[in-house]
Amino acid sequence: MSHDTTHGHDTAHPHAGPHDREHDQDDAHAHAHDDGHTAHEGHDHHHGGSDSHAGHGGHAGHSHGVSADADRRYLLGALGLIAAFMVAEVIVGFLAHSLALISDAGHMLTDAASIALALIAMRLAARPAKGSLTFGLKRAEILSAQANGITLLALAAIFLYEAVRRLISPPPVEGGVVLVTALVGIVINVLAAWLISRANRTSLNVEGAYQHILNDAWAFIATAISGLVVMLTGFDRADAIATLVVAGLMLRAGYGLVRESGRIFLEAAPAGLDPDAVGARLAALPGVVELHDLHIWTITSGYPALSAHVLVRDELDCHAVRLTMERELRERYAIDHTTLQVDHASPETLQLGRARDAGHCSDPHGSSHRAEG
């Protein structure tokens, strides 16, 4: 006779701060995969004559992407500085005929947008999971991060085209105005970067804005140099060259955001985490015979999740092995949100992960790992 028992428990992350305790009861039991899979990836595991135990590792205390402890005051302060200077820079850029200043303003526009979207995403992500949204709206920040990255790439392409055109036929540029404006921009970026550094940077949006502002500082340095060159030598093409530098920084930052958000949407394992290494480590734990259907993905920034089907020696307590695996995942890999189905390794269940026609599922998926020896 088969006994299916589900055990839910919450375990605090060892590095969780007092503000990281933002979780609700609905979310604590929402272990469904984003694409509509159930906690066991949409497959019913019926094992005649064996004990089946499905364990759900808790994730209380883990910082799930954009969380309530991100200090909105610092973000709003940085947003105000950037937005005010951006408007002034566009006006000065047109008056001084400086494409470098206008491209800098375009870069700052994406910074301001990313901060504004992060603030919106914080409110959306704080809403409790309910109905068909079993993880709530925690991926709102990933959507906005991808939009921000695409915008950066589009603006970079426009500025590259215009910079090349100005290299061929440069308009007169007011070098002194460009130099002064760029120096003020450096100060504004340093202040904004300081403000954001004091907020919670586990959000892909917030961290992206922080990195963009640091890139902006380098861009303003290039613009200041171009203004100085124009002022001292009259070489107007220096402004277009500085624009190429700014566009290059925008391409780099935009590609990084699109790549990281794309990895999350494609359900890839967190960067720097090798699923095969994790599977081999778990399979080597005492009592584990086999581990298959292993999946590791990211719900949103700082929120990794894992599910797997585990077979343990028939004489052991499945629950004790599951607790050991959850502790290993939590302490070694910082994965708190786990869904582990644990069965005794009878001859019947050993076949489940080894053959398509064994009745386990019509489409076997995920990597498989077996204990050595």
Side-chain angles (χ1 to χ4, degrees), residues 73-75 77-78 81 190-199:
R73 291 177 303 168
Y74 292 124
L75 295 181
L81 281 174
V190 169
L191 288 175
W194 177 77
L195 286 170
I196 293 180
S197 70
R198 295 175 63 86

Side-chain angles (χ1 to χ4, degrees), residues 42-200:
H43 302 289
D44 294 328
H45 300 270
H46 299 293
H47 314 304
S50 67
D51 294 329
S52 176
H53 308 274
H56 302 279
H59 48 83
H62 194 73
S63 181
H64 294 169
V66 188
S67 56
D69 68 335
D71 196 327
R72 292 180 177 87
R73 291 177 303 168
Y74 292 124
L75 295 181
L76 286 170
L79 179 60
L81 281 174
I82 291 171
F85 183 76
M86 177 187 66
V87 173
E89 191 176 21
V90 170
I91 296 172
V92 174
F94 276 110
L95 293 177
H97 307 290
S98 172
L99 181 62
L101 286 180
I102 296 174
S103 63
D104 279 334
H107 198 179
M108 294 190 79
L109 174 63
T110 61
D111 295 343
S114 67
I115 296 175
L117 288 170
L119 288 167
I120 295 172
M122 287 177 195
R123 294 190 177 275
L124 293 176
R127 294 181 180 178
K130 59 182 178 179
S132 61
L133 297 173
T134 57
F135 280 111
L137 293 170
K138 297 190 184 302
R139 277 198 176 168
E141 69 137 344
I142 308 302
L143 284 169
S144 60
Q146 189 167 72
N148 185 35
I150 293 172
T151 303
L152 271 173
L153 295 178
L155 286 174
I158 294 172
F159 290 135
L160 282 173
Y161 170 79
E162 187 64 20
V164 171
R165 192 177 71 82
R166 290 198 174 200
L167 279 174
I168 298 172
S169 180
V173 177
E174 296 291 338
V177 176
V178 173
L179 175 60
V180 172
T181 306
L183 291 176
V184 175
I186 293 173
V187 174
I188 295 295
N189 273 268
V190 169
L191 288 175
W194 177 77
L195 286 170
I196 293 180
S197 70
R198 295 175 63 86
N200 175 25

Side-chain angles (χ1 to χ4, degrees), residues 292-361:
H292 53 260
D293 284 357
L294 171 64
H295 297 275
I296 307 176
W297 68 99
T298 304
I299 306 302
T300 189
S301 300
Y303 189 173
L306 177 147
S307 68
H309 187 197
V310 185
L311 302 179
V312 302
R313 293 210 312 265
D314 198 45
E315 72 275 10
L316 296 181
D317 181 358
C318 287
H319 303 297
V321 175
R322 174 176 57 80
L323 291 173
T324 298
M325 297 182 79
E326 288 172 353
R327 183 170 57 252
E328 181 75 9
L329 290 168
R330 183 173 59 253
E331 295 177 356
R332 179 175 287 270
Y333 302 107
I335 301 177
D336 290 336
H337 191 98
T338 60
T339 304
L340 301 173
Q341 177 169 336
V342 183
D343 288 301
H344 286 129
S346 64
E348 293 83 3
T349 56
L350 280 172
Q351 297 302 316
L352 294 176
R354 301 181 183 180
R356 184 183 294 259
D357 59 355
H360 175 51
C361 59

Side-chain angles (χ1 to χ4, degrees), residues 98-101 103 159-160 162-163 166 222-223 226 238-248 250:
S98 172
L99 181 62
L101 286 180
S103 63
F159 290 135
L160 282 173
E162 187 64 20
R166 290 198 174 200
T223 302
S226 75
D239 185 77
I241 294 172
T243 302
L244 292 174
V245 173
V246 175
M250 293 172 73

